[in-house]
Amino acid sequence: MKMKKYIVTDIRQALEQIRKDLGEDAIILSTRSFRKGGFFGIGGKKFLEVTAVVDEKEEKKKEDLEVYKLQELLVKSKEKRYEEELTEIKQMLKEMKTMVLSIKREDLSEDLKALSKAFEIQDIDSEISNKILEYIRLSYGNLKVDETILEKLTDYFQPFLKTEIPILQGVVMFVGPTGVGKTTTLAKIAARLKLVEKKNVAILTLDTYRIAAAEQLKIYANIMDIPMRVAYTPMEAKIELEAMRSFDVVLIDTAGRSPNNEIQISELKALAETISPNICFLVLAMNYKYSDIKDMVKRFSVAKFSHVILTKMDETKSYGHLLNVPYTTGVPLAYVTNGQRVPEDIIEANRIELSHLLAKEVLRSVRSS
Ligand code: GDP
């Protein structure tokens, strides 16, 4: 308890003093008025004696609160400063990176510049291209770029070209944009499973948006003598799958979804969640623009695809997507298709062979540019 007496002429003056000295929580204990000067109590000036007290514990609590608030403010401002610094550092690093890259470009020998241009023609991701060029520059300095480096290039591409041929068992789903070649590829794989691997195969289609697609698949199924069922909703698909449990593999064709259609994409999400397939292939085409591929990969990620299939290799001479697609999706490449013929035009993705193919195309681009 802290007590203080004030001699004032006006109560407002006392209150001001008290607030200043003892704070807002102080209370007035007593007031007494008296006169000073004058003669026998007559005349003189009138004064007021005010006694005020404050509970120091309360005061302490308040002080603590103030300190706490201050600390909090300090931490917040530090965090803010830290965030600002981090953004600044990130920006600096980005600028440094582009500086280094531009220095690198200038540092490249004429041969490596030609190689860099060929990587561009082949549509190889600039990050992959820079990593490989930097590696060559540091290892060899001035490397002569001609047919003799075919094997070296093949080796450099391999770490980026992740491949895996999954064992097809249980539910296998195909997703991807319209017209990419899902149905055709499914038919090719169905034929391999049935004729080569002698598996008990069935097909389930949800591609009911296009009547022609289901009919086309029905023709393939009939030729191969593979049972085919149609489902219209994820729930129906689940029920059909229950009925198809005795098959070794059920291949599921999904509607040719446009990656820009949000409703269809959410339907795909529901389907993937309802039937949770063992394997999900994202089917993309080799003749797509890389920016479109990146966009589709993002949108189809709702299906949680486990492997990629690249179609229409026969329609392009730029093979960069062989590296780009496993690199951006983070999942391995399983098959590559190279024509419309069912079942012939499909190959299992082989890391060495495809790297070799790409290396050959890169050197062809070097020669022709
Ligand atoms: P979906 O809409 O994804 O099911 O695509 P489709 O299987 O119906 O195929 C669309 C078109 O692409 C058809 O004309 C196919 O013959 C064609 N196609 C599929 N795969 C290939 C391929 O590897 N090369 C070429 N050139 N055409 C293909």
Side-chain angles (χ1 to χ4, degrees), residues 177-184 210 312 314-315 337-340:
T178 316
V180 72
K182 281 185 304 299
T183 307
T184 317
R210 293 181 307 146
K312 309 194 184 186
D314 54 306
E315 290 198 351
T337 77
N338 50 2
Q340 292 179 296

Side-chain angles (χ1 to χ4, degrees), residues 114-251:
L115 187 60
S116 165
K117 183 94 188 74
F119 283 172
E120 247 175 71
I121 295 169
Q122 286 298 314
D123 216 358
I124 295 175
D125 185 304
S126 59
E127 274 180 33
I128 301 177
S129 165
N130 283 328
K131 279 180 190 169
I132 296 175
L133 286 168
E134 181 63 355
Y135 179 78
I136 298 176
R137 197 174 69 92
L138 291 175
S139 317
Y140 300 99
N142 206 351
L143 182 75
K144 178 126 195 62
V145 176
D146 58 20
E147 295 309 308
T148 57
I149 68 156
L150 183 67
E151 292 315 314
K152 271 198 189 83
L153 271 185
T154 306
D155 286 347
Y156 300 151
F157 291 149
Q158 282 187 51
F160 298 99
L161 214 159
K162 200 162 72 169
T163 58
E164 184 184 85
I165 319 301
I167 295 168
L168 299 184
Q169 201 77 36
V171 178
V172 178
M173 188 160 92
F174 293 70
V175 300
T178 316
V180 72
K182 281 185 304 299
T183 307
T184 317
T185 307
L186 182 148
K188 291 173 183 173
I189 290 176
R192 285 169 75 98
L193 286 170
K194 168 128 185 159
L195 307 174
V196 183
E197 295 184 31
K198 309 276 181 233
K199 285 204 172 144
N200 201 4
V201 188
I203 295 172
L204 175 65
T205 182
L206 276 103
D207 193 357
T208 48
Y209 285 95
R210 293 181 307 146
I211 297 164
E215 274 172 6
Q216 180 62 33
L217 194 56
K218 185 84 196 149
I219 294 169
Y220 287 132
N222 283 345
I223 296 169
M224 294 184 279
D225 195 21
I226 289 174
M228 185 185 119
R229 308 278 301 169
V230 181
Y232 292 88
T233 63
M235 220 40 227
E236 269 182 42
K238 200 179 161 102
I239 293 163
E240 288 292 347
L241 284 176
E242 279 295 315
M244 291 166 135
R245 267 166 68 173
S246 60
F247 289 91
D248 299 327
V249 192
V250 180
L251 302 175

Side-chain angles (χ1 to χ4, degrees), residues 21-22 30 67 75 84 126 158 195-196 206 242 275 316 350:
D21 295 348
L22 304 177
S30 66
V67 170
V75 170
E84 280 169 5
S126 59
Q158 282 187 51
L195 307 174
V196 183
L206 276 103
E242 279 295 315
I275 62 177
T316 177
N350 178 300

